[in-house]
Structure formats: C-alpha cells, structure tokens
Amino acid sequence: MGQNNQSPEQDLNQLLKVRHDKLKDLQDNGKDPFQITKYEVTNHSQEIRDNYDTLEGQTVSIAGRMMFKRVMGKASFCNVQDLQGSIQAYVARDNIGEDSYKDFKKYDVGDLLGIKGEVFTTKTGEISIHAQEVTLLSKSLQILPEKYHGLTDTDARYRQRYVDLIMNAEVKDTFIKRSKVLSSIRRFLDSQGFMEVETPMLVSNAGGAAARPFETHFNALNEDLKLRISLELYLKRLIVGGMERVYEIGRVFRNEGLDTRHNPEFTLMELYQAYTDYYGMMDLTENLYRYVAKEVTGSEILTYGEHEMDLSKPFERITMVDAVKKYADVDFHQVKDTEEAKKLADEHHIEYEARHKKGDILNLFFEEYVEDHLIQPTFVMDHPVEISPLTKKKPDNPEYVERFEFFMNGWEMANAYSELNDPIDQKERFEAQEALLAAGDDEANHTDEDFLNALNIGMPPTGGIGYGIDRMVMMMTNSPAIRDVLLFPTMKSLDK
C-alpha cells in the first residue's frame, strides 16, 4: 500500500484545485452557477416539518447549503441547511434526469443548492424532499471545517463568523434571539408612547459618561472630532424641545480594554421621559425586562451559568449606603468626612487615589464588597454626588443623588437618574469635571456649552436611563462573553 507523503497543506491545496477545476468545467459547459440571479424559495426546513400534515405530497422549493452527501449508485441522499435548520433530500437519477444526476454527483459539501420536489417520509421516518430538480446556485471554493473537530479555535470563530454560523446551530440561534431582543424592546417602548430617534455619532464634545473617547479628524472642516461615548446630551436636548418620551438604540465607542464584558464599540440604549423621576425608570425597567424575557425565552425565569434569576417577583430596591452596610458591615451614614473614609479604606485594604472624596470611596467599597452578591434583579439607589455629575441631588440629603444602577448576576445592567435640569448646578458640575480633567483624569467631561444653553431654555423634570444591550442579550442567551453576542467583535489585527 503506497504512502501519502504530502503535507496537510499540500492535500488542502489539491482539494481546492479540484473545486476550481469543477467550476471551470461547469463554466465551459454553459452551467456557470454564478450567472444565476434568483431562485424561488417556497418553504424552509422547519416550516416543512411543522406543517407536514398539509405539505405531504405537495411540491416545495427549498434552498440552502449542502452539508452532507451520500451517493449510492442511481440514488443519493443529501442534507440542505437553511435559515431554520436542515432537511434531507432524496435525489434519484430517474427523477432528475441522467445529466442532472451526473452533475449532482460532482457537487461538494458547502455548495449552495436549490431543490424542488415532493414532501414525503422515508422508511426510517425522516421527513424529506423527493427531488424533481436540483439547481447549483453557488459553488463553494473553500473547504468547510469538519463538524466536530474543525472550528473549535474561538479566535477563528470570531474572525470568521460566517463559518461559525454555518457550522454551529446554537450560534445562529443566539443571533436570532439578539434580533428578537431588539424588536421586543422596540415593541414595548412604542406601546408606552416612546419615539425612536437618531443622534450624531461624530461629535466635537463626547460627554454623558466617564470614558476615554476615540478621536478622529474631519478633513473637510479641518476639525478634530470624537466618536460618541454616550447618547445622553443630545437626547436631553430633544426633551427640552418638547419630545416628551424618546429613546435611541445605537453604537457607542469607548477607547478602553477588551474583556468578557467589554468591547470598544457596543450597543447602548438610552431613553428619557419628561415629568417622571428615577422611580418611574425603575417601574419601566422592571416591566421592560419581564416583557423581553417572556418574548425571547418564553419565561420570566432566566438561567445564566449556575444562577437562576426570577424576574416575576418585585425587584429588590436598596440604597448604596445600606448595601455597603449589609455586605461590608461599614455604615457610611456614620462617616463624617473624606479623611475618615480614607482611613476606613486603608483598614479594609481598598486602594484609592489622592483626589478621591468620601463618595468615591463609598463607591469603591460597593464595588469591592457588594456587586458580586447582586444575583437577583436589584436596584441599587442613591449614589454619592461625586460619581454622578448629571444627576439631581436628593432634596433631603444633597450628598447623594436620585440615581440607581440595575444589577443582575452581579453585573450592572442599567444606570438611571432623575436628570439634573438646573443649568446653574450643571455649570458648576461641568467646572468640577474640567478641574478633574486638568488634574489628569482623561475620563472626565468637557463643558458642553450648547447643552448648558438648552438647559437654560428649560428642561422639565425628567427620568433617564441607559441599558447595556449586549449584556442584556448575554443574559437572555446564556452567553459567557460579550464576543459571543457581537456578530463581528473587535479583534487584534492578524498582521501585527
């Protein structure tokens, strides 16, 4: 028995050459698949299975990628994969004709086929299509990875998402669910009288969040611009303009690191509602999450990893001070000033910066001791003013603001305010941000003069909230990393 001394790379090159030769042969015989411009699809795979009683014996046309082929003399079986799954086709020489059958035998796994034929059940009970016509719609010139041993390299899966979608049905299901999340959010908000709007991505002043922006240059005006880090300041201008309920679902960009929960471009939704406050935002969030979970997963119980989160019960509401008291056994109501707060941080081995004040240190305690415990849906309320530059102060305790963060599975899922609408207070807070910027905090905000002008025109009392859509999709699909719910996540360039 002769040995094959060719390397895997030579073997692959030979297989690719065979595919190119087959294409040339088709083209030379006037059968170029790339000349076909359309194909009439009457049904999809799962639809045929679901409606077998009415479709049995009927003629249907399906189209998709051939994932398996078994040739047995004058008859063959193949599997065609479409949007809904895959279905078997029985292809016999006597039914499609000798020339067509000869062509079919040369088709490769990965080729795109159109199959027209009658719906029937095989002897083994598998719903199938008895082919009358087989049309080659596109020739695959690349080899698909082997189903169980091929595309296991996660880096390759993210870089070649198109192959990942072909080979892994659960990946396709995740992105179908992502689309459902977005459409159900829109349905819910539209039913509540909200209006979807679009605001600029290229901005001269990237404000509304603490993050480092991406910067670019606009040649036509010879001006430096930034990619937005938030949607907030433009949406609030619309509230000033009298649009009482607005929302935007859009990409924002933050020049930060990559990890399982962060990507430099991600999908944020922000909404603003006039004449309500952060309590109104809590009620809306609770109702929105229940609605989306039911629409997308069919249940108000979400399973993520080892945790089960029950959205059917009222969500817990706790202040940040009480949460730190509960989990760290430190009562910030008893902490008089920044000096005392720093002493407590030293005792608990919590690192802080010289510029940090009492409120910043309360937040550091919260991050260290509390976040991981917040598995069930929880609203953490009343943040310190130092970390909330755009939020209304609590009238009875101006050290704190009317803000909440929504947590599930130990993650922050949303951030909401009773929005600051006092232009004088806002100007002072922008000045404080400018001082931080001058002191080297590259995440601090610049003053936005036009936004201040809008507040001077007059903004009604308003509730506002931002939701991380990617994290919401992760939760609804039990996906371990943000890259699993982004079709094309940011990846390091291969040529570096």
Side-chain angles (χ1 to χ4, degrees):
M1 191 171 168
Q3 283 189 313
N4 178 7
N5 295 319
Q6 286 189 307
S7 69
E9 192 176 332
Q10 286 172 317
D11 285 344
L12 179 62
N13 287 338
Q14 185 58 37
L15 289 169
L16 295 177
K17 183 179 183 305
V18 168
R19 292 199 175 204
H20 280 268
D21 289 346
K22 285 180 180 179
L23 174 64
K24 186 170 188 317
D25 189 50
L26 285 164
Q27 289 170 331
D28 289 346
N29 287 287
K31 297 176 181 177
D32 186 351
F34 300 126
Q35 296 296 317
I36 293 174
T37 57
K38 61 181 287 191
Y39 185 80
E40 193 68 42
V41 176
T42 64
N43 299 87
H44 282 82
S45 54
Q46 191 57 45
E47 189 187 345
I48 292 169
R49 271 190 286 278
D50 292 344
N51 298 286
Y52 179 73
D53 289 348
T54 54
L55 288 174
E56 184 185 10
Q58 301 294 312
T59 299
V60 296
S61 296
I62 61 152
R65 193 176 298 276
M66 183 165 67
M67 300 300 289
F68 167 82
K69 184 175 77 163
R70 187 168 82 243
V71 176
M72 305 178 303
K74 298 175 184 178
S76 302
F77 284 98
C78 70
N79 266 50
V80 173
Q81 179 175 293
D82 62 14
L83 176 68
Q84 296 181 354
S86 68
I87 194 162
Q88 179 175 269
Y90 173 67
V91 183
R93 185 190 68 183
D94 294 346
N95 290 98
I96 69 167
E98 198 160 336
D99 288 347
S100 289
Y101 190 65
K102 196 185 293 181
D103 289 339
F104 172 77
K105 288 200 290 184
K106 294 179 185 173
Y107 297 160
D108 293 299
V109 166
D111 287 352
L112 286 149
L113 305 180
I115 295 182
K116 183 178 182 179
E118 281 187 14
V119 177
F120 79 112
T121 306
T122 63
K123 288 173 186 172
T124 58
E126 185 167 353
I127 293 170
S128 306
I129 295 168
H130 196 309
Q132 298 160 351
E133 294 173 14
V134 177
T135 309
L136 180 63
L137 301 173
S138 183
K139 182 74 190 157
S140 175
L141 299 174
Q142 183 58 276
I143 313 281
L144 287 174
E146 191 191 333
K147 174 66 181 165
Y148 296 104
H149 305 102
L151 203 66
T152 51
D153 175 359
T154 52
D155 192 68
R157 287 180 53 211
Y158 297 134
R159 289 184 192 280
Q160 296 182 35
R161 181 68 85 188
Y162 43 92
V163 180
D164 194 23
L165 289 164
I166 293 165
M167 301 307 297
N168 298 309
E170 68 280 4
V171 172
K172 189 187 285 184
D173 183 57
T174 293
F175 290 104
I176 289 170
K177 281 184 175 164
R178 182 184 176 108
S179 179
K180 284 182 180 174
V181 166
L182 291 167
S183 59
S184 60
I185 287 170
R186 288 186 165 100
R187 267 195 304 281
F188 177 82
L189 291 177
D190 294 350
S191 75
Q192 301 294 308
F194 280 85
M195 191 166 102
E196 185 172 11
V197 297
E198 294 165 304
T199 62
M201 288 191 186
L202 280 172
V203 294
S204 55
N205 188 352
R212 183 188 300 171
F214 286 94
E215 298 184 11
T216 188
H217 185 76
F218 183 24
N219 294 334
L221 294 180
N222 193 25
E223 279 185 9
D224 289 333
L225 292 174
K226 299 177 178 73
L227 289 171
R228 66 185 180 186
I229 58 172
S230 135
L231 313 171
E232 179 166 345
L233 301 183
Y234 280 101
L235 291 176
K236 284 183 177 175
R237 286 166 166 89
L238 299 181
I239 295 289
V240 170
M243 292 181 168
E244 294 180 4
R245 298 185 183 208
V246 293
Y247 74 96
E248 180 171 10
I249 299 173
R251 282 292 171 107
V252 295
F253 308 85
R254 298 184 182 179
N255 201 346
E256 297 166 350
L258 293 158
D259 63 28
T260 56
R261 279 185 272 163
H262 295 88
N263 195 70
E265 55 172 310
F266 62 97
T267 303
L268 184 64
M269 177 174 79
E270 291 195 29
L271 64 84
Y272 293 85
Q273 179 179 340
Y275 313 114
T276 191
D277 61 3
Y278 72 147
Y279 288 107
M281 293 296 102
M282 283 186 222
D283 294 341
L284 184 142
T285 299
E286 209 164 314
N287 292 331
L288 171 68
Y289 256 80
R290 279 196 198 109
Y291 179 87
V292 173
K294 199 85 190 314
E295 287 270 303
V296 174
T297 72
S299 171
E300 291 178 355
I301 311 287
L302 289 181
T303 302
Y304 188 88
E306 62 196 32
H307 298 303
E308 254 193 13
M309 287 148 288
D310 189 349
L311 276 61
S312 66
K313 298 173 182 170
F315 295 3
E316 185 184 355
R317 302 182 179 194
I318 188 170
T319 67
M320 184 179 276
V321 170
D322 286 345
V324 168
K325 187 177 175 183
K326 180 176 177 179
Y327 293 106
D329 201 25
V330 173
D331 187 355
F332 267 77
H333 283 316
Q334 306 302 317
V335 177
K336 291 194 291 291
D337 52 27
T338 296
E339 190 181 338
E340 198 175 316
K342 287 183 174 176
K343 189 163 173 285
L344 273 169
D346 291 336
E347 288 168 10
H348 289 78
H349 308 292
I350 289 176
E351 292 182 17
Y352 56 86
E353 296 175 29
R355 64 183 174 82
H356 281 155
K357 296 181 179 165
K358 174 184 162 185
D360 297 297
I361 289 165
L362 166 62
N363 188 50
L364 292 172
F365 266 88
F366 174 77
E367 289 174 354
E368 180 68 29
Y369 285 97
V370 181
E371 285 190 7
D372 290 347
H373 294 282
L374 304 178
I375 303 302
Q376 296 304 315
T378 305
F379 295 116
V380 176
M381 308 155 54
D382 302 351
H383 293 50
V385 68
E386 290 90 341
I387 61 166
S388 312
L390 296 163
T391 320
K392 268 193 177 182
K393 292 173 184 170
K394 292 182 69 64
D396 56 344
N397 190 354
E399 281 186 38
Y400 297 92
V401 296
E402 294 194 350
R403 172 184 174 187
F404 73 78
E405 289 174 296
F406 172 50
F407 282 84
M408 277 172 69
N409 191 52
W411 303 352
E412 181 204 334
M413 305 297 291
N415 184 23
Y417 306 156
S418 294
E419 300 297 336
L420 182 62
N421 62 342
D422 176 347
I424 297 161
D425 189 351
Q426 181 64 76
K427 189 171 192 296
E428 288 169 1
R429 296 205 213 177
F430 271 139
E431 284 166 0
Q433 289 284 301
E434 291 281 4
L436 290 174
L437 208 60
D441 183 355
D442 55 11
E443 292 188 348
N445 285 195
H446 280 286
T447 302
D448 188 326
E449 296 292 352
D450 182 70
F451 177 65
L452 283 176
N453 185 57
L455 288 190
N456 276 295
I457 297 288
M459 184 171 95
T462 298
I465 187 164
Y467 298 88
I469 297 298
D470 305 303
R471 287 188 191 179
M472 189 184 205
V473 176
M474 287 172 71
M475 203 70 72
M476 299 285 171
T477 59
N478 196 10
S479 297
I482 191 170
R483 293 194 297 183
D484 296 317
V485 300
L486 298 174
L487 279 166
F488 301 102
T490 303
M491 304 289 288
K492 187 176 181 181
S493 173
L494 283 173
D495 54 15
K496 287 199 173 175

